[in-house]
Amino acid sequence: MFDKVLVANRGEIAVRVMRACKELGIDTIAVYSEADKHSGHVRYADEAYNVGPSRAADSYLDHGEILDVARNADADAIHPGYGFLAENAEFASKVEAADGITWVGPSAGAMERLGKKTEARKVMSDADVPIIPGTVDPVTEPTEVGKFADEHGYPVAIKAEGGGGGRGMKIVRSEDEIEDRLEEAKREGEAYFDDSTVYVEKYLDNPRHIEVQILADQLGNVCHLGERDCSLQRRHQKVVEEGPSSELTDDLREQIGEAARRGVSAADYSNAGTVEFLVEDDPNRDPSEKLDIDDNFYFLEVNTRIQVEHTVTEEITGIDIVKWQLRVAADEELAFSQDDIDIDGHAIQFRINAENAAEEFSPATGGTLETYDPPGGIGVRVDDALRQGDELVTDYDSMIAKLIVSAGDRDECISRAQRALAEYDIEGITTIIPLHRLLLTDETFVGGLHHTKYLDEELDPERVVDAQNQWGSEAASASTEEASDSVEREYTLEVDGKRIDVTLEEHGSARTPNTTAVMNGGSQKQAQSDQANGGNSGGDAAATTIADGEQVTAEMQGTILDVAVDEGDAVESGDVLCVLEAMKMENDIVAPRSGTIAQVAVSEDESIDMGDVLVVLE
């Protein structure tokens, strides 16, 4: 077994991996960006190293910096968690080539075969796994998309090779949308996954999203651990996941599970992975009838990593998937066969996102966890990295925690979840807990009749607003601390990138924010800890002299991905002015009215703050 593992991730998944390591007697190394210097995964690790500024491309996605830390800290393995570098075959190959460092995941070759969507479709088709009609080769031109749509009909989906969770996927419903959607999918693929390659497939309007958890060792043993139903989504991103699915017959469940095993075996795959399927569902299906072997299911993709919702499977199988990731990477054989896998009871996971569901899931733009008191009791699990008093980091994903509830059956699980969500006390930031509480009283969800479009297209928005008003809490305003004659201050020193925490007592001084001293080669600079973007808080935008006219400002902190207009351009109401990336989502900033662009105050790749002027319209 390994002695020291570097976890190349952040937040709750980093802590989840570190906890598994601790139980196996393995020391852990955290890496963190400037935005995450005070985050929970940094506190939890045995060692922590700064890997760069807030922008993920310059820190968590920096191959060379991550590997340098691993070497300098004497790590003998790297676990990528999910997101960031978890499905990056190029990085995996670099780790495999590094002397004395093991990649905790499938081989780079297997990631290439199954992680790339077009390659995975070829593998699955050869293994007799049904696939959605689509291209087996990447597309580059709008004419290729149009040709596919002419053959199979609209809508079609343009999807990034490295995409997931709806990121890098654009839906085309008519010919005149093709060019814009193609460029958007390419741009998101490049921005989030460092790969602008895209492909096209037929888009199913009302499917159920069923995924199968896989574990495979390096000796050819492959097991599936049952399925999860991830049909409750908003904008193609999962919100609630559960297992097993309440809507599949045992025959269809077994058929899908064996298809997943068959496809993974054909790819010479080892470690953990998830095979995702779409199951066609008739919206007029009688609730008493379950989906059976006569209903179509199609391979969607393989996630060559641990999934956010792996917790559901752990609760109903009793198998610690992260520990088995580490054991398989250390050349251990699976201690169980397919016949040993038993599904016991039911589990539901609720993603606790810092978003306001009543305002189209707008992400929180900051805040302090003035109260953070998660629920407990039998059958309740919380995966998080938060503590009361923490500042919300808004540079990355909006998910701040996961609540997993398990029970003997689905009905008991729903009742227990109602109790747990009512106990979950968070003050200082807005979350989607009110939405979760609403869903547990919603006839469609409780009846298991929801599909992937239910949240976006069918759930009454007024009910969501009412739930937010009843159970939600508003983000609190920042408070100031009073002066004190004697103050203990915490300082964080970074010496050659390594974190050292010290506490000093000062007398006769006013209380000031914590500071971080960054020391590199003897040079030192002071940075206030509330500078969330490494000292760059949209300075260029804020410092620009603003022309007269109507100002279009940023509603959240983020990065400008694209500027669609030039000064002097005439625009109509609703025209896209620029594209703002925030919380890993692209947001089109549109013209509020017709007019002429008097000034463009931002540029591509610029970090901006909420309230910064983007464009001036006259």
Side-chain angles (χ1 to χ4, degrees), residues 407-422:
D409 56 35
R410 191 171 188 264
D411 289 342
E412 184 184 17
C413 197
I414 287 174
S415 297
R416 182 166 290 164
Q418 289 176 322
R419 184 268 297 174
L421 285 163

Side-chain angles (χ1 to χ4, degrees), residues 424-465:
Y424 212 143
D425 190 4
I426 299 179
E427 297 291 340
I429 62 173
T430 302
T431 73
I432 62 171
I433 287 176
L435 172 71
H436 292 317
R437 297 182 69 175
L438 167 64
L439 289 169
L440 294 180
T441 63
D442 178 71
E443 290 183 1
T444 299
F445 177 77
V446 172
L449 299 177
H450 56 286
H451 50 76
T452 57
K453 304 293 184 57
Y454 181 65
L455 278 185
D456 291 334
E457 299 179 2
E458 296 184 17
L459 183 64
D460 184 355
E462 289 303 315
R463 296 182 63 202
V464 180
V465 172

Side-chain angles (χ1 to χ4, degrees), residues 523-534:
S523 65
Q524 177 173 309
K525 60 181 179 180
Q526 293 287 333
Q528 296 295 338
S529 66
D530 59 357
Q531 289 178 322
N533 199 21

